Amino acid sequence: MRHFITLDDVTTAQIETIFALTTDLKQKLKQGVREPLLPGRVLALLFEKPSLRTRVSFESCMAHLGGSSLMLGADTGFGSPRESLADFARVLTQMVDVVVIRSKRHDTVTEFAKNADCSVINGLTDISHPCQALADLYTVREHFAKQGGGNLKGRKIAWIGDANNVARSLAHGCARLGVEFVIAGPKGYQMAPDLLDKFRTQSPDAKLTVLEDPVEAVDGASAIYTDIWASMGQEHEADVRKKAFAGYQVNEALFAQAPDDAIFLHCLPAHRGEEVTDGVIDHERSLVVEQAANRLHVQKGILVWLLGSHA
C-alpha cells in the first residue's frame, strides 16, 4: 500500500509515471472522455483548514474517475478528544479507499497514515504540500514544452519570499527533477540548511541556493514564484512579516529583471498589492490559473498511480 505524504514517497521515475498519467487524462478530458479508472472507489477528505483548490479538485477527480468522495466535517470527531487519532484512522480506513488530509500539523498526517489501512495523501501540512509542488512542476514543463523549449531539466525556478510549506516541497521536487531552485528572502525566514542538505544527499546533482537579493534570484529564471507572506496559522505575525518582506514584492520592476519568456506562478490565494502586484499576476505570462487548474489533472495522476493499475 502506497501513501503520498511527501516527495520522499515517490522516486523520480514514479513522478514521471504520474506526469505521464496526468498528460493522458488531461488530453482525454479535453476530448470529452472521463475514463472511469477508479469505479466504486471512495475518497474521504479530512480538512482542518479552509480550502478551495484542494477540496474541489479532489472531489472532481474522483467524479471524473468513476469514484465518489466524502467531505468529512467536524461532526465525525477528526482531531477532537472524542477518540484517539489511531482509532479514528483504523476505523475510517476500513470504509474508504483513500484519504486526503489537510492538517495544521504534519505529525497528524504521518500518525494517521501509520494506522491507516488505505492510502493517505497529504493535502497540505505546516511543512509540506507535495500535490501543489507536482502541479507546479508539471505546469512549468507543460508551458515550455508547448513553446518548443523541451523539458524541465536544466531550468531555474526562483522563489521570492517565505520558505514555507509550498517552497519546501517545490525545492524537493526541483532537486528530484534536475531543476535549479533559488529562494530569496530576508534573514530569519530562509530555508533551513539541513533541509537543503537532505535534498542534496538524495539528489547529488541538485542546485539549491538561498539568497537575500531577489534581483539576483530571478536572473536567468524560467519561472518566478511567490506566495503570501503570512500563511494560515501565521495571521498574528502579519504586521511583522509585512515589514520583513517589504523588499520582496514581485512587481513589474522585479519581473522585468527575469528573461523575456519567464512565467509567473502563485499557488493562490494571493494578497494583491502585497507579495505581488496586479500588473504581474494579471500579466500575459502569468500562469496562475493554468497552475491551479493543473491541480485537478496532476491529482488524477496521483490517484490512479496510488489506486489504479499502476499501483
Side-chain angles (χ1 to χ4, degrees):
M1 179 177 62
R2 292 166 166 169
H3 297 305
F4 186 69
I5 296 173
T6 73
L7 293 182
D8 285 330
D9 292 321
V10 287
T11 65
T12 301
Q14 288 168 336
I15 292 175
E16 292 295 343
T17 297
I18 290 169
F19 281 177
L21 288 165
T22 299
T23 299
D24 179 55
L25 293 167
K26 184 173 181 177
Q27 289 175 346
K28 285 176 177 169
L29 184 64
K30 284 183 178 176
Q31 296 163 0
V33 178
R34 300 186 181 196
E35 201 170 9
L37 297 176
L38 302 178
R41 299 296 188 98
V42 179
L43 178 150
L45 295 148
L46 295 169
F47 281 22
E48 292 182 324
K49 290 184 171 184
S51 174
L52 167 62
R53 283 152 288 275
T54 301
R55 174 180 175 176
V56 177
S57 56
F58 268 114
E59 290 192 1
S60 297
C61 281
M62 288 305 285
H64 290 181
L65 294 168
S68 59
S69 57
L70 302 167
M71 183 69 191
L72 301 178
D75 58 331
T76 60
F78 175 64
S80 78
R82 182 167 174 258
E83 63 183 325
S84 74
L85 181 64
D87 288 347
F88 187 96
R90 291 184 188 116
V91 172
L92 176 65
T93 58
Q94 296 296 313
M95 302 173 180
V96 302
D97 299 287
V98 57
V99 179
V100 175
I101 305 179
R102 187 175 177 88
S103 178
K104 296 175 183 175
R105 296 174 60 252
H106 192 78
D107 290 348
T108 300
V109 180
T110 56
E111 178 68 15
F112 187 99
K114 191 188 306 178
N115 292 281
D117 200 35
C118 74
S119 293
V120 175
I121 297 173
N122 179 355
L124 177 144
T125 67
D126 54 337
I127 67 169
S128 182
H129 200 356
C131 296
Q132 180 71 58
L134 286 198
D136 298 339
L137 290 162
Y138 184 85
T139 301
V140 176
R141 185 165 81 168
E142 178 183 54
H143 171 77
F144 285 104
K146 286 179 183 174
Q147 307 300 315
N151 61 22
L152 276 171
K153 195 168 186 178
R155 292 200 173 274
K156 172 182 173 181
I157 295 178
W159 179 282
I160 310 299
D162 189 29
N164 63 15
N165 49 357
V166 179
R168 286 191 283 265
S169 290
L170 186 62
H172 197 176
C174 286
R176 282 290 180 78
L177 296 176
V179 179
E180 181 178 359
F181 178 85
V182 178
I183 180 169
K187 286 184 178 177
Y189 298 94
Q190 296 177 334
M191 201 164 286
D194 59 342
L195 181 67
L196 295 180
D197 287 343
K198 173 189 168 186
F199 298 156
R200 292 186 185 104
T201 300
Q202 293 176 343
S203 306
D205 295 331
K207 292 184 178 179
L208 306 166
T209 306
V210 177
L211 298 172
E212 286 188 64
D213 184 357
V215 174
E216 184 180 353
V218 305
D219 183 31
S222 296
I224 316 303
Y225 199 142
T226 192
D227 193 5
I228 57 175
W229 294 333
S231 299
M232 286 181 285
Q234 297 171 332
E235 291 84 355
H236 61 289
E237 302 176 20
D239 289 342
V240 173
R241 285 173 169 264
K242 278 183 186 178
K243 292 178 183 175
F245 286 100
Y248 293 89
Q249 182 187 66
V250 180
N251 51 35
E252 290 86 335
L254 181 62
F255 197 46
Q257 299 297 316
D260 291 341
D261 64 344
I263 60 174
F264 174 73
L265 300 174
H266 192 303
C267 53
L268 301 178
H271 290 177
R272 289 168 176 255
E274 288 189 12
E275 77 274 5
V276 61
T277 59
D278 287 344
V280 173
I281 197 169
D282 295 329
H283 195 281
E284 62 181 4
R285 286 187 275 118
S286 169
L287 267 63
V288 298
V289 175
E290 293 85 344
Q291 177 187 7
N294 274 336
R295 293 288 305 277
L296 171 75
H297 307 296
V298 171
Q299 287 163 193
K300 272 190 196 174
I302 293 169
L303 285 167
V304 173
W305 174 73
L306 281 171
L307 305 177
S309 59
H310 290 268

